[in-house]
Amino acid sequence: MIEENQLQQQFQLILEQHKGVFFKVAQTYCSNESDRQDLIQEIMIQVWKSLGKYNNKYAITTWLYRIAINVAISFYRKNKHVKLITNEINEQQVQHDESHLKEKEQQLLLLEQFINELNEFDKALMLLYLDQRPHSEIATILGISVSNVSTKTARIKEKLRNRFAQIKL
Amino acid sequence: MNENELILQWKTSADNLEKSMALSKQNAKEIMKLKTKDALSSLKPIKMWAVLIGIIWVIAVDAVIIHFWDVAPYPFLISALVQVIITKIAIGIYLYQLVLLQQVDISEPVISTQEKLLHLKISSLWVVRISFLQLPIWTTFYWNESMLSNGNWLLWIFQGAVTLLFILLTIWLFINITVRNSNKKWFRFVLNLKEWSPLIQAIDLLHQAEAYRMEDRSVV
């Protein structure tokens, strides 16, 4: 009973202090609000179910990101057909909407489109890079080497730069 | 493109999302009522119904075999026995894999966790391969002594050819329904049922995970 109460308190604390992790993952992996809500709910459930096994040799954010990304990738796989229908943003739309969107909003739209087109693992890498996680933590979350994180991050950033350069032309 | 500005905009967007979608305390309370160890709790209703129908089917066929054991022709009894044994094995493997899937620790590193999940999902190809083993018996269950003693050679040749064809098809499907053939058109046609399209997606994702793993080895 005491253990159950402690778990509940820990869970509430995680929701208060680290809910940003859930929203960032949902923003990266889902393009519509309904899917984001479903994904956040599923992440919360899996965090609760895994809480009893938390090992404090890893930082809580590392542990949370692992669970959230694993859930998101599994969730994303189930809803992939929805992604194909809702992903209607294209480069022409970004260019022609100049009169309605400020440049910064355009850039954000383009970034979201770019992330949407990445594969599931590159999405995770991009999310963690944008959240300014150190390479060592990204490596621990994904389970790859630090040098591989650096190489892959550089490659994705280069692709992103080229995408922005194409729009400006 | 200013990298720092982009990162700031993305973070602002995420913060705005957080404000617009507050986590409900009521939601959290409902979640905490869930038991932490519940292997089959997330089984979708439609899959539960499929398993239930499968179990009802094997019970019904078992009952028919037992009831008609003394009077039914041997081809019918043997065909029914083979069919029910294959179905039981397929259901057993399916349920066992579902339990194993639930036991994967998703707080482990992403790439290795996804590989485990995907290997488990893909091993459900065994359910498909084993299910196809019953194809030939659907061409033999109706055989009877009258047909064998009164039928002419043309009938025996035709019937034999049909059964042989199904046996060869079964063997071919059993050997070739594997991950390495997952990009072939016939594979996607055979597994085109809604139940199996996540399996095809799982195979694609596994290739991505393996590519990540291989790149990791080459960089290190």
Side-chain angles (χ1 to χ4, degrees), chain B:
Chain B
M1 179 194 95
N2 185 315
E3 208 169 291
N4 291 332
E5 264 184 33
L6 207 55
I7 289 172
L8 189 60
Q9 279 168 45
W10 184 84
K11 283 193 170 176
T12 306
S13 174
D15 289 341
N16 290 340
L17 179 69
E18 192 175 324
K19 283 170 195 162
S20 68
M21 291 172 65
L23 290 180
S24 152
K25 281 189 178 167
Q26 185 57 31
N27 223 5
K29 279 185 188 165
E30 291 299 321
I31 286 168
M32 286 192 282
K33 285 180 193 167
L34 294 172
K35 292 199 193 306
T36 51
K37 291 178 188 178
D38 200 349
L40 295 173
S41 64
S42 63
L43 193 60
K44 285 184 182 168
I46 192 161
K47 288 190 180 179
M48 285 287 267
W49 274 112
V51 170
L52 199 62
I53 288 167
I55 291 170
I56 292 171
W57 169 261
V58 299
I59 292 172
V61 174
D62 277 343
V64 165
I65 292 170
I66 292 166
H67 188 72
F68 292 105
W69 183 260
D70 290 328
V71 297
Y74 283 129
F76 175 81
L77 289 173
I78 293 169
S79 300
L81 260 173
V82 168
Q83 200 279 333
V84 85
I85 289 169
I86 289 171
T87 307
K88 282 174 185 173
I89 292 171
I91 292 172
I93 292 175
Y94 186 72
L95 286 174
Y96 181 60
Q97 284 169 345
L98 284 177
V99 172
L100 285 180
L101 267 172
Q102 295 299 318
Q103 290 176 346
V104 171
D105 185 357
I106 60 164
S107 65
E108 290 290 306
V110 171
I111 304 288
S112 58
T113 302
Q114 289 301 315
E115 282 178 324
K116 278 181 208 160
L117 285 169
L118 294 167
H119 275 298
L120 273 173
K121 277 201 184 300
I122 287 164
S123 66
S124 63
L125 276 177
W126 272 103
V127 176
V128 181
R129 294 166 86 188
I130 286 168
S131 298
F132 273 119
L133 287 177
Q134 63 182 281
L135 271 182
I137 59 103
W138 290 99
T139 67
T140 59
F141 78 91
Y142 50 82
W143 288 5
N144 54 59
E145 279 148 20
S146 166
M147 187 180 129
L148 293 170
S149 54
N150 299 330
N152 61 35
W153 62 269
L154 205 62
L155 173 68
W156 298 337
I157 287 174
F158 175 74
Q159 183 58 66
V162 168
T163 301
L164 182 63
L165 187 68
F166 271 75
I167 290 171
L168 292 173
L169 179 64
T170 297
I171 293 170
W172 188 87
L173 285 170
F174 188 80
I175 292 170
N176 287 290
I177 293 181
T178 60
V179 173
R180 75 168 182 278
N181 289 325
S182 61
N183 57 349
K184 304 242 169 89
K185 279 183 188 171
W186 67 262
F187 184 97
R188 290 178 186 242
F189 174 74
V190 166
L191 269 75
N192 200 25
L193 294 172
K194 212 173 167 185
E195 158 72 17
W196 301 107
S197 61
L199 178 64
I200 292 178
Q201 288 164 13
I203 292 170
D204 292 338
L205 193 58
L206 183 62
H207 290 321
Q208 287 175 28
E210 284 169 350
Y212 244 74
R213 180 75 72 195
M214 280 180 62
E215 281 186 39
D216 199 38
R217 285 192 202 118
S218 65
V219 167
V220 170

Side-chain angles (χ1 to χ4, degrees), chain A residues 23 27 37 41 48 63 66 70 77 104 119 122 129-130 132 141-142 145 147-148 152 155 157, chain B residues 3 9 11 13-14 21 27 31-32 34 106-107 110-111 114 121 201 205 208 212 215-216:
Chain A
F23 288 104
Q27 184 190 20
Q37 282 175 347
Q41 168 101 344
W48 167 244
W63 184 78
R66 280 179 176 177
N70 275 322
R77 194 164 60 243
K104 285 186 179 176
N119 71 47
D122 282 345
Y129 156 71
L130 287 169
Q132 296 183 299
I141 291 167
L142 296 181
S145 63
S147 46
N148 198 3
K152 285 198 179 313
R155 208 179 287 160
K157 278 160 64 177
Chain B
E3 208 169 291
Q9 279 168 45
K11 283 193 170 176
S13 174
M21 291 172 65
N27 223 5
I31 286 168
M32 286 192 282
L34 294 172
I106 60 164
S107 65
V110 171
I111 304 288
Q114 289 301 315
K121 277 201 184 300
Q201 288 164 13
L205 193 58
Q208 287 175 28
Y212 244 74
E215 281 186 39
D216 199 38

Side-chain angles (χ1 to χ4, degrees), chain A residues 29-39 74-89 116 120 123, chain B residues 44 194 197-198 201:
Chain A
Y29 281 90
C30 300
S31 48
N32 69 65
E33 191 179 321
S34 168
D35 280 350
R36 283 174 186 164
Q37 282 175 347
D38 288 345
L39 177 57
S74 302
F75 179 89
Y76 178 84
R77 194 164 60 243
K78 286 176 201 165
N79 289 287
K80 203 171 182 179
H81 63 284
V82 174
K83 175 211 164 201
L84 292 170
I85 293 162
T86 57
N87 186 15
E88 292 170 2
I89 304 164
N116 219 17
E120 283 81 334
K123 272 192 171 82
Chain B
K44 285 184 182 168
K194 212 173 167 185
S197 61
Q201 288 164 13

